[in-house]
Amino acid sequence: MATSGDGFGTSGILTTGTLSPQEATTAIYETGLHHLYEPTQLMFIKNVYGGLLVGFGGVLSQIASKGSPGLLASNPGLVKLLQGATFPVSLICAYTVGAEFVTAYPMWLVMTGFERKGRPIQYIRALVVAWLGNIVGALFSAFVFSYSTGVLTIEPYRSGIVEQITMNIVDAAWHIIFIRAIGCGFLITLSMFLGTQFRDGISKAIGLHLPFFVSIVAAFPHTVEIMYDASLGMMLGAPLSVPAFFYKCLAPITLGNFVGGAVFTGFYFWYVNLYCEDGAATRDWFENLWMLGTKGDIDGDEV
């Protein structure tokens, strides 16, 4: 990308080690195309691995946040900060090694969908295979590495995890869980966008960490995280039945994450950076949506 003498690109942002928003959106769109045609077994294995990595981030987060009951009682905000600072390690590791979370797929697939790529069955296959891979990895990690080893079965971790699942899932209303999950879907995909936009390792780690940090601190539930946390909580005695695990826990969180990632990240960046060519389109926003079915190239000079 061409740069001016002051170190800024033509878009007005620092370009050292950073893609422009348009370039990052194009890269994410190409990732979505890749996943539409990715072999099923490879997609499944990569998402299993992502679920496993979430388990290790969960262990670190639970130890950091549940290990000091006195601190939780006297300064709950600090405990939330500790939890938010530690859990995103799983996202950084997964992104770095090429593992996947199902929560990234709505962002990718909305872009390919609005560009009219692929067939509906390919979208369904991608979401289902990714979700199944994540839950297999998360359940395995919860049972083998967290429960069977006894790492989190002792006090104060056991009671802290049970209390967390009871308060955030069992006692919470379905629609509240869903709305919170929208916030997480928004923030986790924003993390993925920044991870794509930043090119050097340290910047990528920071970009991946910060939005997800906000999500964890705010207790916005993440699908793969809750696959791990809720299943571990059930093993430790949380009052959550298997049917409730699916309809009260995974259903609203999965749907909310999909809405948040698809609308607030996928559609937004597609519309601004691909369809409108960085705002060059002058037609009304609602007219643009109405004309998506017959979309052609947008005329006009580049800004």
Side-chain angles (χ1 to χ4, degrees):
M1 182 173 64
T3 59
S4 58
D6 61 1
F8 284 78
T10 56
S11 60
I13 64 169
L14 283 170
T15 58
T16 302
T18 305
L19 297 178
S20 71
Q22 294 79 14
E23 291 171 326
T25 302
T26 300
I28 289 171
Y29 163 69
E30 292 172 351
T31 300
L33 284 178
H34 166 77
H35 285 297
L36 279 181
Y37 299 97
E38 187 174 33
T40 299
Q41 66 274 20
L42 178 60
M43 182 185 298
F44 180 76
I45 291 171
K46 289 164 69 174
N47 279 278
V48 169
Y49 205 78
L52 291 172
L53 292 176
V54 160
F56 292 115
V59 168
L60 177 62
S61 175
Q62 294 294 359
I63 290 175
S65 61
K66 305 299 190 300
S68 302
L71 181 62
L72 180 61
S74 62
N75 198 337
L78 180 58
V79 172
K80 284 182 174 290
L81 291 175
L82 288 172
Q83 192 170 13
T86 50
F87 188 81
V89 168
S90 59
L91 174 62
I92 296 171
C93 291
Y95 188 97
T96 303
V97 303
E100 304 288 4
F101 295 160
V102 68
T103 45
Y105 282 70
M107 172 182 65
W108 296 328
L109 299 184
V110 157
M111 292 186 183
T112 59
F114 276 107
E115 291 293 317
R116 296 181 293 176
K117 303 296 183 181
R119 296 171 297 174
I121 189 64
Q122 292 176 285
Y123 289 80
I124 296 171
R125 177 193 70 103
L127 294 173
V128 170
V129 171
W131 192 92
L132 291 175
N134 280 164
I135 196 170
V136 168
L139 291 176
F140 183 90
S141 188
F143 180 73
V144 175
F145 298 125
S146 298
Y147 181 77
S148 298
T149 60
V151 172
L152 295 175
T153 59
I154 59 176
E155 297 294 347
Y157 308 115
R158 188 199 68 80
S159 59
I161 294 170
V162 169
E163 181 181 358
Q164 173 188 334
I165 298 304
T166 302
M167 180 176 63
N168 292 342
I169 302 298
V170 178
D171 294 341
W174 198 98
H175 70 281
I176 295 298
I177 299 172
F178 172 74
I179 294 171
R180 289 175 178 173
I182 292 176
C184 178
F186 181 1
L187 291 168
I188 186 69
T189 49
L190 181 60
S191 289
M192 300 294 288
F193 184 90
L194 295 178
T196 301
Q197 187 172 22
F198 297 142
R199 307 311 291 167
D200 66 278
I202 294 176
S203 297
K204 277 183 177 291
I206 295 173
L208 289 165
H209 186 279
L210 288 179
F212 201 25
F213 169 83
V214 175
S215 178
I216 298 298
V217 171
F220 291 164
H222 180 254
T223 298
V224 194
E225 174 198 8
I226 206 65
M227 288 174 176
Y228 168 83
D229 282 344
S231 61
L232 178 60
M234 292 166 66
M235 297 173 198
L236 297 176
L240 184 67
S241 66
V242 173
F245 174 65
F246 287 97
Y247 78 79
K248 182 71 182 294
C249 179
L250 293 182
I253 294 173
T254 300
L255 293 174
N257 285 172
F258 282 8
V259 170
V263 175
F264 294 105
T265 307
F267 174 76
Y268 170 78
F269 286 114
W270 170 83
Y271 181 78
V272 171
N273 296 323
L274 293 183
Y275 184 68
C276 289
E277 298 180 355
D278 195 25
T282 58
R283 290 174 295 178
D284 181 77
W285 185 81
F286 289 103
E287 181 186 351
N288 288 335
L289 285 180
W290 180 260
M291 297 178 65
L292 279 179
T294 57
K295 182 178 79 68
D297 293 333
I298 300 174
D299 298 323
D301 298 330
E302 264 191 340
V303 176

